[in-house]
Amino acid sequence: MVKKTAQKMKRCYSYTPVSTKEQTLGYSLDAQEEYLRKEAEHKGYQVAEVSSDEGASGKNTTGREAFQEMIH
């Protein structure tokens, strides 16, 4: 009998900036989240939480509350 050792998966956070009105209404947000989940899985990570800031510019971190919370 071969005993398997349980490996703890690395966890990560997924963040999608939603800066345009179309994205705020859901356009491409699901696709972004799906892509990030697949990429995390491919690299051996488990997504612990998905965050987004609706209507906030992705050019800087000012005004992106979910991003700031994720960093902390």
Side-chain angles (χ1 to χ4, degrees):
M1 177 192 273
V2 176
K3 185 176 181 181
K4 292 183 180 181
T5 53
Q7 286 187 329
K8 189 173 183 179
M9 286 190 81
K10 296 178 266 182
R11 294 172 42 149
C12 68
Y13 292 90
S14 176
Y15 176 80
T16 53
V18 185
S19 57
T20 66
K21 184 166 180 70
E22 290 81 15
Q23 288 175 319
T24 302
L25 296 173
Y27 178 75
S28 84
L29 184 58
D30 290 337
Q32 289 179 50
E33 289 179 18
E34 181 65 22
Y35 171 80
L36 291 172
R37 281 189 190 281
K38 286 181 179 179
E39 191 66 22
E41 183 179 309
H42 175 72
K43 293 183 178 186
Y45 288 88
Q46 175 186 15
V47 176
E49 186 175 327
V50 177
S51 301
S52 66
D53 282 310
E54 294 183 10
S57 172
K59 292 181 180 179
N60 60 51
T61 60
T62 304
R64 295 194 289 162
E65 294 177 24
F67 181 80
Q68 293 297 328
E69 186 177 318
M70 177 187 66
I71 299 245
H72 293 296

